[in-house]
Amino acid sequence: MTTQRRYLPLIGALLLAIILSSCLSNRQASSTLNRVASDNCNIDSSGTSGYVFHPVNLVPGSPDDLLLRQRYGERGLRMAQAVGLTRLLVQITQLEQQQNPDQLPSTQYLALRQKLTDQLQLANFDIATAAALVDCDSKRATLTATLLTRRENSREKRMTISAITIGAVAIIGASLLNLNEQHKTADWFHIAGGVGEGGLGVLALRQKPPRAEYRHPRNPLRDIWNRSSTSTDFPPLVWYYLNKPKSGTSLSLVDALRNRWELLVSLDEKAGRPRKHTHREVAYFGDGDTYTAEELTIRAAMLGQLETELRLMNNDLTILLNEIVRPTTKR
């Protein structure tokens, strides 16, 4: 008994050190997680350039439509309509047809082209700001998901260490009891250790994934999911671009994105069963909710798809600018 009592304080101290270390680590992780999850992206994408764009639709088959399609491509014209430059493009194209190639451009032509490039530069600012809003939210969701995953991994690690410690304590304690010829008590010590390890295993299997309160009052996904007529998060030119089909028979980017997102939010539903979107619509497309790491990963994927379309919009802007400044050629 003397030998057993000598080792019991050491075993107790070891268990206490493990528990204290785990508590401190968990507290630090929770503080970091809460700080990241509540760090909203304060970016104003409603009008950074200070210029209000008024998108204009070209009437298919109209004289202006036929004139511009001889000079500009489909992507460039789509961007020109979003920025509201079609009237200026008609004027500058008419001047190009009237001027002599051997003469210097007229003052009126140069003034119109300068106005076009100025408005395209302002449009670039608004597109970049809208993309920054989406990119910030995407990175925040990804980082929060990473921290939640680390918390879950840390919890599993603590349970594994605890199970190993219980097993080691049971073996050491039983060995000490056997040395003192207390075999019956040693057997019970073995049984207690096995029950403890098994109990931790069952507890690990029944653990729910950790969640974090994640707010997004400025939600770039909401207007697209709801197919809003106007947007409170995107400038008019961006919203026009997202809602205008790339061709007469294709879906708009809003419809295409929504179709992809419907697949993402129903990943956990079994095939053939009706989807229940009520809770997930609140989580992804509302003002915020408590998220798991998996749900935040899905949100980050949706934001990434939206950001890609905004980057492509900027590419269309570059295409239009190149078509404006290039020499006039027959199409």
Side-chain angles (χ1 to χ4, degrees):
M1 289 294 292
T2 305
T3 304
Q4 179 184 355
R5 290 175 179 173
R6 185 165 57 241
Y7 283 102
L8 284 176
L10 178 61
I11 295 171
L14 177 61
L15 289 171
L16 181 60
I18 292 172
I19 293 171
L20 289 175
S21 176
S22 172
C23 290
L24 289 173
S25 176
N26 191 45
R27 184 177 299 176
Q28 291 173 351
S30 296
S31 175
T32 303
L33 177 61
N34 292 333
R35 186 170 64 253
V36 171
S38 61
D39 186 18
N40 288 313
C41 301
N42 296 318
I43 299 174
D44 180 12
S45 62
S46 61
T48 300
S49 67
Y51 185 88
V52 180
F53 294 91
H54 299 285
V56 178
N57 279 317
L58 273 172
V59 179
S62 66
D64 289 348
D65 181 64
L66 296 175
L67 175 67
L68 294 180
R69 291 191 185 280
Q70 295 175 3
R71 175 73 168 82
Y72 299 95
E74 182 66 36
R75 295 179 66 179
L77 278 181
R78 185 162 173 259
M79 177 53 60
Q81 292 175 80
V83 182
L85 296 179
T86 52
R87 191 63 241 163
L88 288 175
L89 285 181
V90 168
Q91 294 177 27
I92 201 171
T93 303
Q94 290 172 342
L95 287 175
E96 287 175 345
Q97 293 178 341
Q98 295 171 4
Q99 72 181 15
N100 188 333
D102 297 329
Q103 296 178 346
L104 293 174
S106 65
T107 304
Q108 183 183 6
Y109 173 84
L110 293 175
L112 284 175
R113 203 169 87 167
Q114 182 62 50
K115 187 175 182 179
L116 283 170
T117 54
D118 286 347
Q119 287 190 251
L120 289 175
Q121 186 64 37
L122 293 173
N124 181 62
F125 293 151
D126 281 0
I127 296 170
T129 306
L133 171 66
V134 176
D135 180 63
C136 178
D137 200 348
S138 175
K139 285 183 169 55
R140 184 168 71 101
T142 300
L143 181 55
T144 307
T146 301
L147 293 175
L148 280 173
T149 302
R150 286 185 178 179
R151 171 183 278 189
E152 186 171 10
N153 292 340
S154 177
R155 184 176 63 188
E156 292 176 357
K157 184 179 179 181
R158 289 196 303 271
M159 287 187 173
T160 301
I161 292 174
S162 299
I164 293 172
T165 303
I166 288 174
V169 169
I171 292 172
I172 294 171
S175 299
L176 291 173
L177 290 169
N178 283 324
L179 287 174
N180 288 275
E181 297 185 354
Q182 299 181 33
H183 304 298
K184 189 174 182 178
T185 307
D187 291 338
W188 281 108
F189 224 88
H190 275 299
I191 292 172
V195 170
E197 288 183 276
L200 282 174
V202 172
L203 183 62
L205 290 174
R206 295 179 62 85
Q207 286 288 325
K208 293 182 179 180
R211 307 180 73 91
E213 183 71 19
Y214 189 91
R215 310 304 301 173
H216 36 73
R218 294 268 326 259
N219 192 347
L221 305 179
R222 176 166 39 214
D223 289 337
I224 293 176
W225 183 258
N226 294 332
R227 292 191 176 98
S228 304
S229 56
T230 59
S231 174
T232 56
D233 292 311
F234 297 111
L237 75 98
V238 174
W239 194 237
Y240 174 93
Y241 176 91
L242 293 174
N243 279 276
K244 186 174 179 59
K246 291 185 177 180
S247 64
T249 59
S250 66
L251 294 174
S252 68
L253 291 175
V254 165
D255 290 331
L257 285 169
R258 197 182 190 284
N259 289 343
R260 294 180 216 161
W261 296 351
E262 283 185 333
L263 293 176
L264 284 173
V265 298
S266 63
L267 283 177
D268 57 346
E269 298 291 338
K270 294 182 180 179
R273 292 181 57 185
R275 292 194 299 264
K276 299 178 181 178
H277 285 306
T278 304
H279 176 65
R280 294 280 68 80
E281 284 185 26
V282 173
Y284 294 120
F285 311 109
D287 293 330
D289 208 331
T290 54
Y291 280 80
T292 64
E294 182 179 359
E295 291 164 353
L296 282 170
T297 301
I298 291 175
R299 177 176 176 81
M302 290 190 283
L303 289 165
Q305 291 174 353
L306 176 56
E307 184 183 358
T308 297
E309 298 299 346
L310 293 176
R311 300 297 182 192
L312 290 174
M313 183 181 182
N314 192 69
N315 182 246
D316 287 355
L317 192 74
T318 303
I319 289 174
L320 176 59
L321 181 59
N322 288 334
E323 289 179 338
I324 290 172
V325 302
R326 76 182 178 188
T328 308
T329 56
K330 295 289 182 180
R331 292 183 60 83

